[in-house]
Amino acid sequence: GAGVSQTPSNKVTEKGKYVELRCDPISGHTALYWYRQSLGQGPEFLIYFQGTGAADDSGLPNDRFFAVRPEGSVSTLKIQRTERGDSAVYLCASSLFSGNTIYFGEGSWLTVV
Amino acid sequence: QKEVEQDPGPLSVPEGAIVSLNCTYSNSAFQYFMWYRQYSRKGPELLMYTYSSGNKEDGRFTAQVDKSSKYISLFIRDSQPSDSATYLCAMRGDNQGGKLIFGQGTELSVKP
């Protein structure tokens, strides 16, 4: 597609449930990133992939968060046992290669009730 | 203390004004400096990208980086109501791939 595509755009889930957020990067982009943005804050880095492998996952807050990119294109961010503090916008981004210009999607708005 | 500090505003200016947005940072390893614009309920959109110190101009926008002071600025000339958005500074080091460190964002409103 023309831009980074994220689904779902909105997700409301109950505390303790499992959630998957999907990202489809710009075609041909080898690097893919996940960021999290809380209300009134700038995005915070979670993880980035170069190809299929996670090159840097230092921003994942704890072991409830996990991300995969099995074929080097689409990525899924998985959150187990969701907590109310996980409520945020989860932004996916991609770039041609690591270090090139990063393009963001419109985000998946997660609300944990 | 955060690595990147940015005044959250909100900042309100009349149409046609010159707007100055600023960020300070603490990590001297940062070499790449970016400004993103984010409209409500949208993803950040890259506006300006600068490597190391210096100035860069693109239309009504000018980005300045002063590494000696650890201070970056974005100037918007002849501001328009369509410039109303949140402006985010972001930066990273040489070998940090896509790990950008963002400021909090400054909310700008340009009144007609």
Side-chain angles (χ1 to χ4, degrees), chain A residues 27-50:
Chain A
S27 179
H29 280 194
T30 65
L32 183 146
Y33 315 87
W34 285 99
Y35 284 79
R36 177 169 72 174
Q37 187 174 22
S38 300
L39 194 63
Q41 301 296 317
E44 289 182 298
F45 172 81
L46 295 176
I47 184 171
Y48 99 87
F49 292 87
Q50 182 59 54

Side-chain angles (χ1 to χ4, degrees), chain A residues 33 35 37 58 98-99 101, chain B residues 2 38 46 92 97-100:
Chain A
Y33 315 87
Y35 284 79
Q37 187 174 22
S58 61
S98 172
T101 301
Chain B
K2 293 183 178 181
Q38 187 172 29
L46 182 66
R92 68 172 178 89
K99 186 177 179 179
L100 300 179

Side-chain angles (χ1 to χ4, degrees), chain A residues 3-110:
Chain A
V4 177
S5 176
Q6 293 189 245
T7 55
S9 53
N10 287 284
K11 175 74 175 177
V12 179
T13 191
E14 292 181 348
K15 180 175 177 294
K17 298 288 188 183
Y18 170 80
V19 164
E20 287 190 354
L21 306 175
R22 176 191 163 103
C23 173
D24 199 343
I26 293 172
S27 179
H29 280 194
T30 65
L32 183 146
Y33 315 87
W34 285 99
Y35 284 79
R36 177 169 72 174
Q37 187 174 22
S38 300
L39 194 63
Q41 301 296 317
E44 289 182 298
F45 172 81
L46 295 176
I47 184 171
Y48 99 87
F49 292 87
Q50 182 59 54
T52 60
D56 185 343
D57 64 358
S58 61
L60 294 177
N62 51 60
D63 62 5
R64 295 187 298 106
F65 288 75
F66 190 70
V68 295
R69 194 186 185 200
E71 297 177 0
S73 178
V74 170
S75 176
T76 304
L77 178 66
K78 308 180 181 198
I79 309 174
Q80 298 177 323
R81 305 182 304 280
T82 51
E83 300 177 357
R84 291 194 179 88
D86 298 335
S87 297
V89 181
Y90 289 82
L91 293 164
C92 180
S94 69
S95 64
L96 191 58
F97 298 103
S98 172
N100 288 122
T101 301
I102 294 173
Y103 299 90
F104 283 85
E106 297 204 341
S108 290
W109 292 68
L110 175 66

Side-chain angles (χ1 to χ4, degrees), chain B:
Chain B
Q1 186 181 359
K2 293 183 178 181
E3 276 190 290
V4 180
E5 298 278 0
Q6 184 176 7
D7 186 339
L11 180 62
S12 182
V13 301
E15 184 175 354
I18 296 174
V19 176
S20 172
L21 304 166
N22 312 291
C23 288
T24 58
Y25 63 95
S26 57
N27 189 340
S28 58
F30 289 150
Q31 292 277 22
Y32 295 86
F33 303 91
M34 286 135 278
W35 286 95
Y36 282 84
R37 177 174 61 195
Q38 187 172 29
Y39 292 114
S40 181
R41 296 194 69 88
K42 298 290 186 183
E45 168 195 13
L46 182 66
L47 274 179
M48 301 286 285
Y49 180 97
T50 309
Y51 175 74
S52 194
S53 282
N55 296 354
K56 188 171 186 178
E57 188 173 322
D58 184 0
R60 296 185 295 112
F61 299 90
T62 300
Q64 290 185 350
V65 175
D66 181 350
K67 290 191 67 183
S68 62
S69 302
K70 297 191 180 68
Y71 187 88
I72 71 170
S73 301
L74 177 71
F75 297 95
I76 307 174
R77 289 183 299 281
D78 186 26
S79 55
Q80 302 296 308
S82 58
D83 295 329
S84 298
T86 296
Y87 289 80
L88 297 153
C89 63
M91 48 198 80
R92 68 172 178 89
D94 255 334
N95 298 314
Q96 290 183 311
K99 186 177 179 179
L100 300 179
I101 308 300
F102 281 85
Q104 185 177 354
T106 299
E107 186 182 347
L108 172 68
S109 177
V110 181
K111 304 293 187 185

